Amino acid sequence: MSAMIENGPSPAAVAPGARYSRWTSLAVLCAGTLMTVLDGNIVTVAMPAVQSDLGFSGPGLAWVVNAYLIAFGGLLLLAGRLGDLVGRKQMFTAGLAVFTLASVLCWTATGQGMLIAARAVQGAGGAMASAVVLGMLVALFPEPRERARAIAAFSAVGAAGGALGTFLGGALTEALGWHWIFLINLPIGVAAWLAAVRVLAPEPGAGLGRGADYPGAALITGALMLTVYVIVGAGDRPTTVTLLLAALTVALFAAFTVRQARAARPLLRLRLFRSRLLTGANAVQVLMIATMYGFQFIGALYLQRVLGYGALATGTAFLPAPLAIGVLMLGLSARTVARFGGYRVLLTGLVLITAGMALLGRVPADGSYATDVLPAMLLLSAGFAAAMPALTGLAMSGARAEDAGLASGLFNTTQVVGGSLGLAVLTTLAAGRTGGLLADGTPLLPATAGGYRLAFTVATGTAAAALALAALLLRERRA
């Protein structure tokens, strides 16, 4: 797993002097990541309040999340390339600033368009900050055992932050209103920016004169946005229109691939995909993250719309997830990966995720949190705590040293693509199934629960596909 960095960190990654302590730098990177991940999930519990206040339709409501995810995922590769040109520290701090200012705009939003636009700007800032983090991390920690500990800590912050966002979203929505879920980013963002300016080592880039593939960035961003649009609105437009839009999406992805093959300075070097581990890990991540987003988003809606939980109660119900993830990742992940290998730990985690989603696929209209939700939540949390650090290590071990930053951007991109597509597909399926049951005369609560069961069942199949793909592609060869 240490093939990626053979000659140690770059001089800019670890500057001399105690001021640039590697572990302090890791803490700063984790703080920035916590803010972006927290915000990516904090809106989940506030969705019914946002829908009621601003008049969103069911599929339209998903765009409050998707506007963030698509801008984030679509710009990660470009942000990673620009980080190489202007310096990773500069890109990280600029991203924190943009993200924090956009959060204030979300706080002041009074209409659908304004909120969605501000969320897209948040996604752009999040991409700027996140694209360079993994590349900085692996440069800071070249030694395999230390890197495993650093990746475990980084993954724990990201995973726990996502679930913790659900709790904070519920508490703030119920106490102050949904607008305030965005203002929490202001103090965190300012503190993270000040710490990054002081603690992170200066890292000059190659210079903007080296160029970046802006047409490629436009193609991939347009392709991702159109993909989600096609899925979310499929039930509200004629089939021929949907097929034409799908064909245009394929054409954009194909044009992006051709562009990367011919560009002098491509956004994504296609040689990266020659690595079995890197390619396989990214494919597995798309499926795994799609599954986990289904749990967070659909699970929160089930608690509120079927079991009748309020926003605060829903957030509190999700608290066991970040606690379990944090404890398991920090206490066990690095040691278990070192002892059993990333491949075995990943497969174990995916088995637990599949089992947890299978339990959720049985949730009834008259269910209870203790028997129908909590056991599945604990299985999913334990599975994700095992799988995510192992998958990250496998992905980054498949990249060469000179491709570390690009591999980091690609890994972050597929994470967001998985979340966005999973959210779009599962919410569309749930809404369609619920609408069909209502049309057949089924009462509201059983119909709503039936829609969520279908979404959870599809997510179970997605998790099983991730398990099969990982077993096939990610076995580590002995040296």
Side-chain angles (χ1 to χ4, degrees):
M1 291 179 60
S2 59
M4 187 171 113
I5 304 290
E6 296 177 355
N7 300 316
S10 66
V14 184
R19 178 180 174 186
Y20 302 119
S21 162
R22 292 183 303 155
W23 293 101
T24 305
S25 297
L26 174 63
V28 173
L29 296 176
C30 286
T33 299
L34 174 65
M35 182 176 68
T36 56
V37 172
L38 194 73
D39 194 86
N41 293 272
I42 201 170
V43 300
T44 302
V45 179
M47 282 297 175
V50 173
Q51 185 175 25
S52 176
D53 192 13
L54 300 184
F56 277 100
S57 65
L61 185 63
W63 279 99
V64 177
V65 177
N66 280 329
Y68 175 89
L69 290 177
I70 292 302
F72 188 101
L75 295 173
L76 273 169
L77 293 176
L78 177 61
R81 173 59 178 160
L82 291 176
D84 292 336
L85 299 178
V86 304
R88 292 176 184 172
K89 176 181 177 178
Q90 288 83 343
M91 181 58 65
F92 181 74
T93 53
L96 291 179
V98 171
F99 186 93
T100 304
L101 291 174
S103 298
V104 177
L105 291 178
C106 291
W107 176 54
T108 61
T110 56
Q112 295 182 16
M114 183 177 178
L115 179 60
I116 290 174
R119 288 284 287 165
V121 177
Q122 267 192 315
M128 294 166 65
S130 301
V132 295
V133 169
L134 270 180
M136 297 171 76
L137 187 151
V138 297
L140 285 166
F141 298 95
E143 195 276 320
R145 193 173 296 273
E146 281 194 339
R147 190 190 306 162
R149 290 171 55 198
I151 287 177
F154 176 77
S155 300
V157 168
L164 186 60
T166 308
F167 169 73
L168 291 176
L172 291 170
T173 299
E174 195 157 299
L176 300 171
W178 66 264
H179 288 84
W180 290 81
I181 64 177
F182 299 108
L183 195 63
I184 191 175
N185 293 326
L186 181 59
I188 299 175
V190 170
W193 186 86
L194 291 173
V197 169
R198 177 169 179 77
V199 171
L200 296 181
E203 187 178 354
L208 285 174
R210 295 288 299 275
D213 184 18
Y214 301 109
L219 286 170
I220 190 62
T221 302
L224 291 171
M225 293 185 69
L226 189 57
T227 298
V228 177
Y229 177 74
V230 168
I231 295 171
V232 170
D236 301 325
R237 66 174 75 95
T239 303
T240 53
V241 175
T242 298
L243 292 175
L244 287 173
L245 290 174
L248 179 58
T249 302
V250 173
L252 287 174
F253 278 115
F256 173 74
T257 303
V258 172
R259 170 73 187 178
Q260 300 316 289
R262 297 180 177 178
R265 297 184 179 93
L267 194 64
L268 179 62
R269 300 185 191 99
L270 298 182
R271 72 164 187 249
L272 281 176
F273 296 103
R274 297 173 187 169
S275 167
R276 174 182 54 85
L277 288 179
L278 181 64
T279 302
N282 278 280
V284 169
Q285 180 172 233
V286 169
L287 298 173
M288 184 179 77
I289 297 299
T291 302
M292 295 304 297
Y293 261 85
F295 157 64
Q296 289 185 348
F297 191 83
I298 304 295
L301 292 178
Y302 173 78
L303 289 175
Q304 290 181 291
R305 294 179 175 174
V306 177
L307 300 189
Y309 279 39
L312 179 59
T314 300
T316 304
F318 270 83
L319 268 182
L323 293 175
I325 289 171
V327 169
L328 291 172
M329 276 191 177
L330 292 176
L332 297 175
S333 288
R335 283 182 287 180
T336 52
V337 169
R339 180 173 179 180
F340 299 105
Y343 176 74
R344 292 178 180 176
V345 175
L346 172 61
L347 293 188
T348 301
L350 290 173
V351 167
L352 293 175
I353 290 173
T354 304
M357 289 306 304
L359 287 179
L360 287 176
R362 304 171 59 188
V363 291
D366 58 350
S368 71
Y369 170 75
T371 59
D372 297 304
V373 179
L374 182 59
M377 181 185 298
L378 294 177
L379 282 173
L380 287 164
S381 300
F384 191 74
M388 193 61 197
L391 188 62
T392 304
L394 287 168
M396 298 305 288
S397 71
R400 294 187 286 185
E402 63 269 25
D403 292 327
L406 189 57
S408 169
L410 177 63
F411 194 71
N412 280 318
T413 299
T414 56
Q415 187 174 112
V416 177
V417 168
S420 184
L421 292 182
L423 182 63
V425 170
L426 295 177
T427 54
T428 299
L429 289 174
R433 175 62 173 165
T434 297
L437 291 173
L438 288 173
D440 292 339
T442 305
L444 178 60
L445 280 182
T448 304
Y452 296 154
R453 279 197 301 274
L454 175 62
F456 288 138
T457 300
V458 172
T460 303
T462 305
L467 174 60
L469 197 61
L472 181 65
L473 296 179
L474 299 183
R475 181 183 294 277
E476 298 169 280
R477 296 192 180 111
R478 294 185 180 274

